[in-house]
Every structure is written in C-alpha cells, then in structure tokens.
Amino acid sequence: MFRNYLKIALRNLWRHRGFSFLNIMGLAIGMAAGFLILLYVVFELSYDGFHSKGDNIYRVVADIKTPSETIEADKPAWAVAKNLESQFGEIEAAVRIMNLEGVVRKDDIKYKEARTIAADSAFFEIFDFKLVQGNAANVLVEPYTMVLSETSATKYFGTQNPIGKTLLVSDNAFPVRVTGVMEDIPENSHIQGDMVLSMATFTQSLSPESDEQWGGYNPSAYILVNPNTDYQVLESKFPEFIERNTGDNQRESQMFVTLYLEPFKDVYLHSERGGNGDGSMSNVYIFSIVAVFILLIACINFINLTTARSVERAKEVGIRKVIGAERRQLGFQFIGESVIICLVAFVMATILTALFLPLFNDLAGKTVSDGIFSNPGYIGILLLISLGIGALAGMYPAFVLSSFRPVRVLKGSFSTGTQGTLLRKGLVIAQFTISIALIIGTIVIYDQMQFMRSQELGFNKEQTLILQTNVSPSQTSLKLALDNLPGVVSTSLGSAVPGGENSGAYSEIENKNGDMQVANLDAYFVDYDYMNQLGLKMVAGRGFSRDFVTDSTEAMVLNEKTVQLLGYSSPEDALGAKFDQWGRQGQIIGVVRNFHFKSLQQNIKPMTVRIEPNNTNLMAVKISPENSTQTVASIQDTWQTILPDQPFDYYFLDEFFDRQYRTEERFGNLFLNFAALAILISCLGLLGLAAYSTLQRKREIGIRKVLGSTVGGVVNLLSKDFLKLVGIAFLIAIPIAWFGMHYWLEDFAYRIEIQWWMFALAGGSALLIALLTVSFHAVKASLANPVKSLRTE
C-alpha cells in the first residue's frame, strides 16, 4: 500500500510540475533561511560557553563616581584583582588581561601585531584555552615569557619547535622567550589574541608599581570563585574591601569606586560596559524573530498551496470511496504525500544551506559554522520541522476531502465552502503581514545607517591617513619630512583620532562657583596643527598657537559638553578658568564646538585638549586626492628612511571611523537579505494561488471575454481580492513593525524618527509586488482563446 501511495504522490508531482516546483522551492528556501539564522543565533549564544569553569568565572567592573558624573568602566584598577584573590577565600584565582599592540621582530622581519594580550599566570588555569606545548601552571610566571597561538608559531618559526626561542617585542625590542604554544582561540570567545605575554613583564620589570595602583584602569580583571559561591553575596563585601584598601585616597581625589561582578558567560551579549566585542542581544532577538517569521511564511505558503490544489482531487477521492477506500486510508494517503513533498524540500534546503553558508559567513563577518554537517543535531531539527509541516499541510485534505459523500462529489456539486476560502485568505494575510513588517524594518535600518553616515560629525575626516608612530623620538623629523612631500597638504600629531581609543584623565577644573570640580575626562594630547587639520571649530576663545609660548605648558581647550558639566551658562564664561590635570596647571584658553569623537551610538562626552607632542603616538597626514597612490608610496619611502625599525602601516580616517558601524551594517545586510527571501517566498505562494484561482475561473473568464470584457477588466477581476488581503495585512503590520524598530533604535544615542512615509513606501511596495505577481497569470488568462475554456460547456 505504501508503494502505491508513493507512486500516486510522484505522479501528482510530475503532472503539476510548475505548481510542485513553486511549492517545494518556497518551503526549501524558507527552511534554508531559517537554518542559516539558527546557526547564527546558536553561534552568538555559544560565546564563552566552552570553558568548563565558566559558571564560576566573573568579570570585575567598576562604577567610578566623581562630583561631575558616574563612569561605568569595564575594568577595575590595576591593584584590584590581585588583592581580591589574596583577601577573599571565596576566590580561587584572579587574572588581569590587557590588550596590546606593537611591533614584533624576528631577525630582519617585522610585524605589527594588533592581536596581542598580556595576562597573569592564572590565565590557562581559569580559561580553557588549550596548550599544545608547555605547562599551564608556569608558562606565564616569569617576566619576558610568552605563549604563541599555533598560527603565530607557524608564522614566526615555520615547522621548527618554537619553545625556548626568542622574539623581540615592542619598540624597545626587549627579548621575550616562547614558553608555550596554544591552539588558536576559538572565534566564539570575547577574549582574543594570537600572542599572550606574561603580565609579570610589566608588574615585575617594566612597571613594578602597577600592582599597587588603585587609580589606573587599564587591564580587564576576571576571578574564579569556589563552586556554590553566591556572587551577589561576595559582591556585597566589596565596599568594605575598597574602603580598607583605598578609602583615604578616594576621599582625597573625590573619586568613589563601586565594584561589581558580571557573570562571564553574560559579558559578550548582555554587558553594556563595552570590552566585549560586537555582541548584541537585541540583534539575536531580532534575528530569532525573523527566522520564525520566515519559517512561518514558508509553512503558510506550503499549507495554502497544498490545500488549494487538493480541491482538484475531489473526484479522485469520490471514486476511491466508491470502490471501497476507507476514510482512514485516504487520510494516510494525503498526509503521506504531503510529507514526501516536505522531505524533497528538506533535501533541497540542506543543499541550499551548504551552497550559501560561505556567503552567509561573509555577510555575518565571522565563521558561524564550518559546514552544515558539523552540526548534525540541527539537521535533525530541520528534518523534524519538515515532517511536522508535511503532517500539518496534509491534515486539511485528509480530514475535509475524505469526509464528503462520493455521490455529491461525482455529481460535481462539491465545493470547499467558506471555511476553506477563509482559511486561505487568513493565511495570505498572515504571510504578507510578516513580509510588510520586514520591508518596513529594512527601510528603517537603511535610513538609520544613512543617517549615521551623513550626520555632521564636527570634524573633517576626508583624505586623511593615520600612521602609528608609537611615540618614536623620530616622529618630529618624520613630520617635517612629510610636510615637504608633493601631495601632502598637512600633518599633525595626536594621542588619538575620532573613532579610536583615547585616555581618560583625572582633572580638576574651576567651575562656575569658583570651585575646583573633579572629573575624569576624555583627553586628547596634540600638537599645534592637530585641531586645524581636523577642521575643529572654536565657539569661544582661541585655539593653540605657536605665538603663545605658554600654550605648550599652561593652556587647555574644552569642548561645549565640558562647559555644561562645569555649570557655565555660555562658552565665553569658561575662558580663563583654572585647571589641574595630571600634574599640569594652567587656564582655559578656548572652547571647541562639540564633535563626535565616538560613534553616533554614544552621546558626546566632555573632553579636554592639551598641547603635549611627546605624548602622541599617531600622525595624521592629509593628502591631495590627485595622485594619491603615488603620494602614499612617497610617504612609505620617507617612513622607511626615518623609522626603519617599524613596519609601515596606515589607514584612512574616514574608513576607520566608519568601522564603528560594522556590526550594524552587517546586521542591516543580513536583515535585508532575509527580508528579500521572505518576500520572495510570499510571492511564490501568491503566484501559485493566482494560478489556482485563474484555473478555477477559466470558464468565467472565457464567458466574460465573449461578452466583451477587456484585458484590464479580467486583470482587475482576478487581482482585486488578493490586493484587498494585502491591504489588510498592511494595516496589521504597521503597529508590529513600529514596535520592533522602535526597540532596535533605542540602542542609538543619535537616531532617526520613524516617519509615515516609511510605512507608505512599504505598503506601496507590497501592493505593487502583489499586483505584478497576480497579473502574470491574470494577463495570461485574459489573452487566452475563450473557445478553449468554453469547449466543454
């Protein structure tokens, strides 16, 4: 009997090849898209989940309260981690991790290594980063030792055993001995690095006072607690710990610290303090919803087309019942045929997923999966979904068609009634509600990204190269040499550029009441040309000038945000105010207009600018757009002459600043592609239903044409019912899309307002897509010879 059912199912598929293709492809595309999103979501949720002690690891963070503000830092002071470990029995081990960037040399080969970290000796005890060579207990104990990843070991030493060999690290070229080799750190870890330098290099040799610093907030800190320790109870003991160790210093500096613990596995997706990569739980939620939507559209599509086409088999059901078929047998047949079709779609979905996975990895900006068969459990889930859809889609013909009396069916009086029609209309509305909501979301995301790219930033970032000089003694000579090159417009030195990391400086500045107000402010250290080169505008006072000798020792420029923080009613009122910052005293000589030195996802913060060329590690070189390639080559030649010990590396400021939006851009690109897939699946379903509707009404169309109906009249007849359904879907989609996009936009400090035209554009697009889809069959039917459709009447 099963063989007979299979034969009938295959015959029906082949007899209606076009319909079967639409049905299978719609479901296959939906399942493939859902599968890809599932891989992405599972990968994001898997971050830091491979550590066996992960449930007992916590990141130590700090709130730093000053009279001016509360800073939510993702790092504690240098001394915190070691003292926590020694003063609390609940803590088994502590590790500090600091990101580094510098030059690494082997013989005459120089590399600029951006993925280098320094870590305490407990690094491999706390985390499950696997060592291929070396002892986890001692590889990072001694100063000037390091562990290389397998990739780095191969890069520097090829097939040789690297253990015991030496690399020259940083601009000072101090020798570091390789004591271990580790497997490459997995991509789903928010701690990343290709080289791990011993923290003892700093705390025992380069900066031995670091362990006693309660005011410097550089390395991240993680602790491993005893099992069954309540971290909130432990956290409640930290205020007394801070008071005991540094209470007097806090009162003197007016900076009061509160320590908190973040569960390690929550850092990547749930922390709002930064230092966790590009994780966004909002994006995970949204993609999960999109996956459900796409699968729902594909299911609706399949069920709609299956139930619509099943009506044509009413006579077959009647004949089978006349010759003795039982209702149960007919039900099994229809469900079985539907399941077979779904299994074909499952196979196609698996193939599509395998084909598009590399492209999906590129769009996501990370390898979410090496291959679909690396996650066999997910394939099993997809198979179960396929079987479920097949069973669900087969239930309508199984229980409805098999219930009719054969006499009625064979007399030709069979009809599906209003219930079947309402079911299909409801499913079409659900499909297009989701599709229109996704179109609205795509428009909002695109407009937000355009807004961020076109927003006035307050500085000029065009045609500017950034070179990292690492505070080289020769950087002044390099600057003078580059100023004389053809194609170089100007040069300047700075400690940071917009979009990059900059220092926070403990500052005391005279406020409107004449008091010295304490604040920890973002600080830029620059030369005389920096502000002019970036096109920063003064709103009060003046900028730095070589005409004033004291500008290099006693002058400071504030931004407007700092003026507000100090309570002044206008920028002019702040001029002449006294300051004391990092041992430098003087007065405010000017106020610069607020500019976005961070992403537009963040509000502009108070900042200070001071002349201090000896504390600058970046050189900005503005070049002419003409012959830019030749100019860059000349800059490289000059660099290699003056700074031969450092590799030449540069980036353009505009590209560097825009990198801050790469997570949102990837999200937008993925959202756009999946929204397009959802619309495609909906159109496939609408195309199939339009074909079915046209087939059902072909005699009516023939009669209307004989009576003089035009092509437009026939198209209107067949299209208006579908367009009404799309219109209803549009009204339902509006509040759903508004709520979802309003939630997404809350992550941006500077954001667009959701406008009425976005909904109108989405609704118009959906109506146009639906009209074009339906019109394909409507025009074809209206141009057909009516004699053929009326021949049997």
Side-chain angles (χ1 to χ4, degrees):
M1 185 173 290
F2 176 77
R3 181 180 179 185
N4 184 49
Y5 289 163
L6 180 60
K7 188 183 296 183
I8 293 171
L10 295 176
R11 283 176 179 172
N12 277 313
L13 282 174
W14 185 250
R15 186 180 301 121
H16 306 288
R17 293 183 291 274
F19 171 86
S20 299
F21 175 78
L22 291 178
N23 210 4
I24 292 172
M25 282 305 298
L27 184 57
I29 292 172
M31 288 195 295
F35 193 12
L36 289 171
I37 295 178
L38 172 66
L39 293 175
Y40 174 83
V41 169
V42 170
F43 181 80
E44 290 292 287
L45 294 175
S46 73
Y47 260 77
D48 302 313
F50 58 88
H51 298 281
S52 60
K53 303 174 184 175
D55 291 335
N56 298 321
I57 302 173
Y58 296 88
R59 183 170 75 159
V60 185
V61 297
D63 279 358
I64 308 165
K65 186 176 181 180
T66 72
S68 305
E69 61 186 336
T70 298
I71 303 167
E72 296 182 347
D74 63 326
K75 306 175 179 69
W78 270 90
V80 166
K82 285 294 183 183
N83 283 278
L84 283 176
E85 182 181 3
S86 63
Q87 296 180 36
F88 289 94
E90 301 97 319
I91 300 175
E92 291 186 4
V95 62
R96 293 166 297 187
I97 300 174
M98 180 170 59
N99 292 317
L100 303 172
E101 182 175 315
V103 178
V104 177
R105 301 175 179 83
K106 181 181 180 293
D107 301 326
D108 295 330
I109 304 173
K110 300 184 293 289
Y111 293 100
K112 186 175 182 180
E113 293 288 355
R115 286 169 49 90
T116 303
I117 60 177
D120 284 310
S121 58
F123 183 77
F124 291 102
E125 175 188 348
I126 294 177
F127 303 114
D128 288 348
F129 299 125
K130 297 179 181 178
L131 282 173
V132 178
Q133 293 179 268
N135 187 332
N138 57 32
V139 286
L140 296 176
V141 170
E142 298 179 8
Y144 303 109
T145 57
M146 68 160 41
V147 174
L148 300 179
S149 68
E150 290 182 298
T151 298
S152 292
T154 301
K155 179 169 83 171
Y156 285 101
F157 300 104
T159 58
Q160 299 178 27
N161 183 359
I163 301 299
K165 292 185 168 57
T166 299
L167 294 173
L168 301 179
V169 177
S170 88
D171 300 324
N172 297 324
F174 54 81
V176 178
R177 180 167 50 89
V178 179
T179 53
V181 177
M182 64 179 179
E183 291 182 2
D184 290 357
I185 293 178
E187 194 165 2
N188 58 340
S189 168
H190 81 266
I191 298 172
Q192 289 290 334
D194 292 324
M195 297 181 170
V196 185
L197 181 68
S198 64
M199 186 66 77
T201 306
F202 296 90
T203 59
Q204 296 181 30
S205 297
L206 299 179
S207 182
E209 72 282 357
S210 297
D211 278 345
E212 304 304 322
Q213 283 188 9
W214 291 91
Y217 294 79
N218 195 326
S220 300
Y222 300 84
I223 61 171
L224 175 67
V225 302
N226 298 323
N228 302 319
T229 296
D230 187 330
Y231 81 92
Q232 292 177 325
V233 173
L234 176 61
E235 191 179 74
S236 67
K237 301 177 182 179
F238 289 167
E240 190 275 332
F241 163 79
I242 290 293
E243 173 62 28
R244 183 171 65 249
N245 287 279
T246 185
D248 292 339
N249 291 335
Q250 287 190 109
R251 283 183 285 276
E252 181 181 349
S253 63
Q254 298 183 57
M255 296 181 69
F256 298 92
V257 176
T258 305
L259 298 178
Y260 297 99
L261 297 177
E262 290 183 336
F264 179 66
K265 292 182 179 179
D266 290 348
V267 171
Y268 177 70
L269 287 176
H270 297 281
S271 178
E272 297 180 355
R273 294 176 181 265
N276 60 335
D278 298 328
S280 169
M281 197 64 202
S282 296
N283 289 357
V284 170
Y285 285 142
I286 290 174
F287 274 128
S288 299
I289 293 170
V290 169
V292 172
F293 278 176
I294 290 178
L295 282 173
L296 190 58
I297 288 175
C299 293
I300 290 171
N301 201 40
F302 184 80
I303 293 170
N304 228 353
L305 292 177
T306 300
T307 55
R309 180 63 70 174
S310 66
V311 177
E312 293 186 2
R313 301 181 64 181
K315 289 186 178 180
E316 176 191 337
V317 173
I319 294 172
R320 285 180 176 274
K321 295 191 76 172
V322 166
I323 61 177
E326 297 178 1
R327 184 177 181 183
R328 176 177 57 84
Q329 293 173 316
L330 292 170
F332 282 142
Q333 178 185 337
F334 280 110
I335 292 176
E337 289 181 12
S338 180
V339 168
I340 289 171
I341 295 173
C342 284
L343 290 176
V344 174
F346 163 74
V347 173
M348 294 189 67
T350 305
I351 295 171
L352 288 174
T353 303
L355 289 175
F356 287 99
L357 184 57
L359 175 61
F360 180 75
N361 286 333
D362 289 341
L363 287 173
K366 58 184 71 177
T367 305
V368 300
S369 178
D370 294 323
I372 58 172
F373 296 109
S374 61
N375 306 100
Y378 303 150
I379 297 179
I381 293 173
L382 190 65
L383 177 59
L384 291 176
I385 291 174
S386 304
L387 295 174
I389 295 171
L392 188 64
M395 284 182 182
Y396 177 82
F399 294 110
V400 177
L401 291 184
S402 61
S403 67
F404 283 97
R405 293 186 178 183
V407 175
R408 287 184 57 207
V409 174
L410 296 176
K411 281 183 176 181
S413 59
F414 172 79
S415 64
T416 58
T418 58
Q419 289 184 343
T421 303
L422 288 176
L423 173 65
R424 282 192 291 278
K425 287 183 177 180
L427 293 177
V428 169
I429 290 172
Q431 262 190 323
F432 271 89
T433 296
I434 296 171
S435 296
I436 293 170
L438 292 176
I439 294 174
I440 294 171
T442 301
I443 294 171
V444 172
I445 291 170
Y446 177 80
D447 202 51
Q448 173 65 20
M449 297 311 301
Q450 289 298 110
F451 169 78
M452 293 172 71
R453 287 189 171 280
S454 61
Q455 182 78 354
E456 176 57 45
L457 298 175
F459 69 94
N460 186 349
K461 59 186 174 73
E462 306 303 323
Q463 293 297 126
T464 303
L465 273 73
I466 306 300
L467 310 174
Q468 186 157 359
T469 59
N470 296 314
V471 202
S472 169
S474 303
Q475 64 184 12
T476 302
S477 301
L478 177 66
K479 182 179 185 302
L480 293 173
L482 294 183
D483 280 332
N484 293 321
L485 289 180
V488 172
V489 178
S490 62
T491 62
S492 68
L493 295 169
S495 60
V497 293
E501 294 294 327
N502 52 278
S503 302
Y506 177 82
S507 311
E508 295 181 52
I509 306 178
E510 186 178 5
N511 62 22
K512 69 170 185 176
N513 299 321
D515 300 323
M516 296 300 287
Q517 183 169 327
V518 173
N520 194 68
L521 304 176
D522 286 286
Y524 270 35
F525 304 113
V526 303
D527 69 356
Y528 287 100
D529 302 312
Y530 186 91
M531 295 177 64
N532 287 334
Q533 187 185 45
L534 263 66
L536 303 182
K537 304 296 183 184
M538 303 300 298
V539 295
R542 62 176 179 83
F544 300 111
S545 171
R546 291 181 175 86
D547 295 335
F548 298 88
V549 178
T550 56
D551 276 7
S552 62
T553 56
E554 301 176 4
M556 176 183 283
V557 170
L558 309 177
N559 69 348
E560 293 173 289
K561 200 72 174 180
T562 311
V563 172
Q564 295 174 15
L565 181 71
L566 297 171
Y568 292 107
S569 56
S570 69
E572 287 79 8
D573 293 340
L575 299 179
K578 298 176 183 177
F579 77 84
D580 186 340
Q581 184 184 73
W582 280 2
R584 182 74 60 86
Q585 294 85 32
Q587 63 180 10
I588 308 304
I589 64 168
V591 177
V592 68
R593 187 183 304 280
N594 284 337
F595 67 97
H596 291 277
F597 56 93
K598 293 292 185 182
S599 162
L600 270 74
Q601 288 178 283
Q602 303 176 34
N603 286 308
I604 295 176
K605 295 181 178 180
M607 74 168 302
T608 64
V609 187
R610 270 182 28 210
I611 293 289
E612 198 164 328
N614 293 331
N615 201 15
T616 60
N617 62 337
L618 297 174
M619 182 178 295
V621 183
K622 184 173 285 293
I623 64 173
S624 173
E626 293 82 18
N627 301 319
S628 58
T629 303
Q630 183 177 347
T631 302
V632 172
S634 299
I635 293 172
Q636 181 175 3
D637 292 339
T638 306
W639 174 283
Q640 291 172 344
T641 300
I642 298 176
L643 296 177
D645 293 334
Q646 294 193 33
F648 177 73
D649 191 21
Y650 71 91
Y651 53 85
F652 281 96
L653 180 58
D654 54 350
E655 295 176 358
F656 177 75
F657 190 85
D658 290 345
R659 269 185 227 164
Q660 298 176 102
Y661 310 129
R662 61 185 176 186
T663 301
E664 286 70 34
E665 287 179 347
R666 289 168 183 163
F667 170 80
N669 289 333
L670 287 172
F671 193 94
L672 172 63
N673 282 277
F674 285 117
L677 281 178
I679 296 164
L680 173 62
I681 296 168
S682 297
C683 288
L684 288 175
L686 200 60
L687 190 66
L689 286 176
Y692 168 74
S693 177
T694 303
L695 182 65
Q696 291 290 96
R697 304 177 71 173
K698 65 180 181 180
R699 290 184 177 84
E700 177 189 349
I701 294 170
I703 294 171
R704 286 179 178 273
K705 288 198 67 177
V706 168
L707 295 177
S709 179
T710 62
V711 173
V714 173
V715 171
N716 180 61
L717 172 71
L718 296 174
S719 302
K720 62 182 181 181
D721 289 339
F722 289 110
L723 295 182
K724 286 179 183 177
L725 299 180
V726 176
I728 295 171
F730 170 64
L731 296 176
I732 299 172
I734 289 175
I736 296 172
W738 184 89
F739 177 80
M741 287 298 99
H742 182 74
Y743 169 75
W744 182 73
L745 287 170
E746 285 182 343
D747 287 339
F748 297 88
Y750 299 89
R751 53 183 178 264
I752 61 170
E753 294 294 330
I754 300 177
Q755 305 289 336
W756 66 269
W757 63 265
M758 298 175 179
F759 299 101
L761 178 60
S765 300
L767 286 171
L768 179 61
I769 291 169
L771 180 62
L772 292 174
T773 303
V774 175
S775 295
F776 173 78
H777 282 291
V779 171
K780 184 178 177 181
S782 64
L783 295 176
N785 189 344
V787 175
K788 293 182 179 179
S789 59
L790 298 175
R791 178 177 295 163
T792 58
E793 296 298 318

